[in-house]
């Protein structure tokens, strides 16, 4: 069995950032990343691609260019964990040992949980910004729709970037408003949860924009099935008494956000908590039972918002704590739960929702946090992609070090 000093599972935002941050602290560390895909994606720009405001090719890069220099890339998938034996099992059956394990394979998009969805996704007006190639399809639908019904859905939480379903509605509606067609398009927002957004502070401002676009908001309304060719979707609506009724709605365009969960191979493992996520201490991000296992990003159990912004603050913390672990010391830095959703409410304006554990507001700038701003749009459109590719992916922790005020959202 080959053994690696630090083995990272997943070469997404979290895996690359933590490997790069660790090497900045311990250049001699032997680090390997297990990652099956040959492309790395900057997912936060997919909502902009869907509004015709970002070049899709600028959201993907060859994985080999993203893996930090000096890090070994093991091109495979992890199939199982054996934490008692300090090993993982790859999909071809090979076991790889480690001294420290870092788990960050992201989350699983459960397209199959909606009956009929996989068959029609990407056709018949059915789209989702949660897949690279479909963000461009959203843009095609938005720019060609002149009248009819447009439905936007949001599944039960948790999902990555919980504001992404809203952003899809806002940007599409803004385009129709500017073209003068919004009056002929019936916009619906069907949300599984009981509130528009999890942090009450931001809800009134977000509702203002729902009203501005004349969108009909239905809470406790979950997409259950879809028939693309018939352009029909079925929703399960929870009644006051807890019973559920099923209603059919016709659409010309539907933006679907799939239900999301921990990846199956994590959920089935001894490292998972009751809900399937990697069971970490929310402060140190170290596993609650296995001292040499850490996790960050969408797959970990920390009750923060699942965003790249959270990853940006988690990576330096985990890297510092791994370095301590390699020196047989206890974790010495902690994560405060910071996450952020830059919510594009119209072209040229962003509401920057920043909050920590328990929904505590954590504004970076001394400005009214509920006011959409042009400056934040500039940040979202131009600065954050740069921050992601050139700082976060390379371990340059500008304003993100474990002791610094790391509060800017990629
Ligand atoms: P990912 O970046 O998804 O990477 C996971 C990696 O693990 C992938 O490369 C995958 O191939 C690999 N992997 C999977 N299974 C295995 C396995 N078995 N073995 C080995 N490797 C495996 N965040 C923001 O901060 N701001 C935003 O505005 C924002 N908007 C978003 C909009 C959309 C439409 C989407 C989809 C996401 C958005 N996000 C946003 C969220 C952000 O992209 C994620 O939170 C972030 O990418 C999480 O990083 P991660 O490394 O945990 O997961």
């Amino acid at each position: 069995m080959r053994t690696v000093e630090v083995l990272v599972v997943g070469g997404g935002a979290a895996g690359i950032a933590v490997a790069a941050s660790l090497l900045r602290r311990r250049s001699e560390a032997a680090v390997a990343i297990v990652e099956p895909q040959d492309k790395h994606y900057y997912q936060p720009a997919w909502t902009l691609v869907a509004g015709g405001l970002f070049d899709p090719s600028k959201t993907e890069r060859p994985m080999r260019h993203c893996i930090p220099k000096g890090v070994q890339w093991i091109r495979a998938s992890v199939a199982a964990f054996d934490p008692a034996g300090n090993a993982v099992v790859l999909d071809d059956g090979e076991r790889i040992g480690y001294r420290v394990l870092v788990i960050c394979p992201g989350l699983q998009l459960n397209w199959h949980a909606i009956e009929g969805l996989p068959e029609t996704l990407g056709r018949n007006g059915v789209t989702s910004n949660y897949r690279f190639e479909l963000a461009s399809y959203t843009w095609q639908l938005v720019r060609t729709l002149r009248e009819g019904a447009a439905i936007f859905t949001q599944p039960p939480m948790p999902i990555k970037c919980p504001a992404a379903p809203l952003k899809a509605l806002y940007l599409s509606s803004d385009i129709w408003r500017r073209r003068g067609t919004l009056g002929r398009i019936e916009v619906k927002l069907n949300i599984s949860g009981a509130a528009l957004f999890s942090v009450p502070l931001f809800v009134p401002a977000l509702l203002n924009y729902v009203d501005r676009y004349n969108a009909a908001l239905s809470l406790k309304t979950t997409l259950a099935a879809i028939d693309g060719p018939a352009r029909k979707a079925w929703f399960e609506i929870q009644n006051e008494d807890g019973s559920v009724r099923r209603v059919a709605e016709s659409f010309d365009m539907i933006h679907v956000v799939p239900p999301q969960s921990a990846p199956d191979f994590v959920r089935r493992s001894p490292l998972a908590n009751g809900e399937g996520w990697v069971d970490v201490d929310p402060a140190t991000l170290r596993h609650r039972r296995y001292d040499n296992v850490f996790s960050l990003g969408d797959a970990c159990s920390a009750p923060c918002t699942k965003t790249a912004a959270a990853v940006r603050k988690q990576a330096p913390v985990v890297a510092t704590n791994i370095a301590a672990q390699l020196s047989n010391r206890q974790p010495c830095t902690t994560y405060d739960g910071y996450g952020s959703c830059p919510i594009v409410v119209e072209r040229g304006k962003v509401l920057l929702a920043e909050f920590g554990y328990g929904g505590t507001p954590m504004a970076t700038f001394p400005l009214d946090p509920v006011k959409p701003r042009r400056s934040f749009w500039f940040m979202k459109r131009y600065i954050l992609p740069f921050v992601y590719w050139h700082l976060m992916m390379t371990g340059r922790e500008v304003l993100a070090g474990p002791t610094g005020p790391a509060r800017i959202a990629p």
Side-chain angles (χ1 to χ4, degrees):
M1 177 171 85
R2 57 175 157 151
T3 297
V4 176
E5 191 176 28
V6 179
L7 186 64
V8 180
V9 179
I16 302 284
V18 76
S21 277
L22 177 61
L23 286 178
R24 292 231 167 229
R25 285 170 178 76
R26 284 179 78 118
S27 56
E28 74 286 3
V31 183
I33 296 180
V34 186
E35 167 60 60
Q37 305 297 333
D38 62 357
K39 293 275 169 50
H40 178 105
Y41 294 100
Y42 177 57
Q43 302 169 37
W46 289 351
T47 36
L48 298 179
V49 170
L53 297 163
F54 205 93
D55 177 353
S57 69
K58 295 215 160 69
T59 70
E60 72 172 347
R61 287 197 181 175
M63 189 62 76
R64 66 178 191 283
H65 293 171
C66 299
I67 304 265
K69 222 166 147 236
V71 170
Q72 185 195 354
W73 177 14
I74 300 172
R75 185 133 185 227
S77 292
V78 169
F81 297 101
D82 173 13
N86 291 318
V88 303
V89 183
L90 302 185
D91 49 355
D92 64 0
E94 184 189 352
R95 284 171 69 83
I96 300 192
Y98 56 79
R99 219 178 129 199
V100 171
L101 176 67
V102 192
I103 306 174
C104 31
L107 50 66
Q108 182 172 295
L109 301 172
N110 295 317
W111 305 101
H112 286 88
I114 296 166
E115 194 190 320
L117 179 60
E119 295 89 309
T120 193
L121 198 55
R123 289 179 295 137
N124 306 308
V126 183
T127 190
S128 177
N129 296 345
Y130 275 69
R131 210 180 252 181
F132 168 69
E133 68 281 8
L134 294 183
S136 301
Y137 182 52
T138 304
W139 172 226
Q140 183 191 321
L141 293 173
V142 169
R143 68 174 190 267
T144 53
L145 190 70
R146 305 255 180 289
E147 58 185 1
I151 306 179
F152 296 82
T153 75
Q154 183 178 287
M157 294 292 149
I159 61 171
K160 57 179 157 183
C161 191
L166 294 179
K167 295 186 219 175
L169 179 145
Y170 291 151
L171 258 185
S172 307
S173 301
D174 185 50
I175 289 157
W176 297 325
R177 184 181 64 88
R178 286 168 194 266
R179 293 185 171 185
T181 53
L182 186 59
R184 298 199 296 275
I185 298 173
E186 193 190 350
V187 182
K188 294 180 183 173
L189 176 57
N190 291 352
I191 285 184
S192 211
L196 185 64
F197 195 66
S198 61
V199 183
L201 173 70
F202 301 107
V203 171
L206 295 174
L207 270 176
N208 274 346
Y209 271 89
V210 170
D211 291 344
R212 173 180 178 160
Y213 298 128
N214 212 13
L217 170 64
S218 302
L219 302 173
K220 300 186 182 174
T221 302
T222 307
L223 179 62
I226 191 158
D227 180 341
R231 307 238 166 191
K232 265 209 156 116
W234 286 266
F235 290 88
E236 291 183 344
I237 305 177
Q238 206 187 325
N239 298 316
E240 292 286 302
D241 61 3
S243 61
V244 171
R245 67 181 193 281
R246 204 171 163 105
V247 296
E249 290 184 8
S250 299
F251 63 82
D252 293 278
M253 166 190 164
I254 184 166
H255 179 269
V256 178
V257 178
Q260 299 170 31
S261 66
D264 288 341
F265 77 104
V266 171
R267 208 172 41 203
R268 286 191 301 257
S269 79
L271 295 167
N273 71 2
E275 286 157 6
W277 308 103
V278 183
D279 193 10
V280 294
D281 173 82
T284 61
L285 302 176
R286 182 163 78 163
H287 197 270
R288 287 185 194 271
R289 296 183 301 282
Y290 296 94
D291 283 356
N292 62 339
V293 177
F294 293 82
S295 180
L296 68 162
D298 294 350
C300 82
S301 66
C304 57
T305 171
K306 294 187 184 298
T307 57
V311 168
R312 184 160 175 267
K313 263 202 94 177
Q314 293 168 347
V317 170
V318 174
T320 308
N321 290 342
I322 293 172
Q325 178 78 25
L326 291 173
S327 307
N328 299 314
R329 287 186 284 112
Q330 286 300 308
C332 48
T333 56
T334 54
Y335 167 60
D336 56 11
Y338 175 86
S340 141
C341 300
I343 307 175
V344 185
V345 289
E346 60 179 290
R347 192 179 76 200
K349 277 206 180 154
V350 161
L351 185 156
L352 185 60
E354 299 175 283
F355 46 93
Y357 286 140
T360 315
M362 294 180 78
T364 301
F365 306 100
L367 297 167
D368 179 358
V370 300
K371 193 170 180 310
R373 289 173 197 278
R374 202 158 274 286
S375 51
F376 292 155
W377 159 260
F378 184 76
M379 188 172 87
K380 163 84 184 156
R381 172 64 185 79
Y382 299 100
I383 297 176
L384 296 179
F386 176 88
V387 167
Y388 184 87
W389 292 118
H390 299 284
L391 304 184
M392 192 170 147
M393 295 288 98
T394 58
R396 291 187 181 88
E397 298 157 6
V398 179
L399 295 177
T403 54
R407 293 183 187 164
I408 297 179

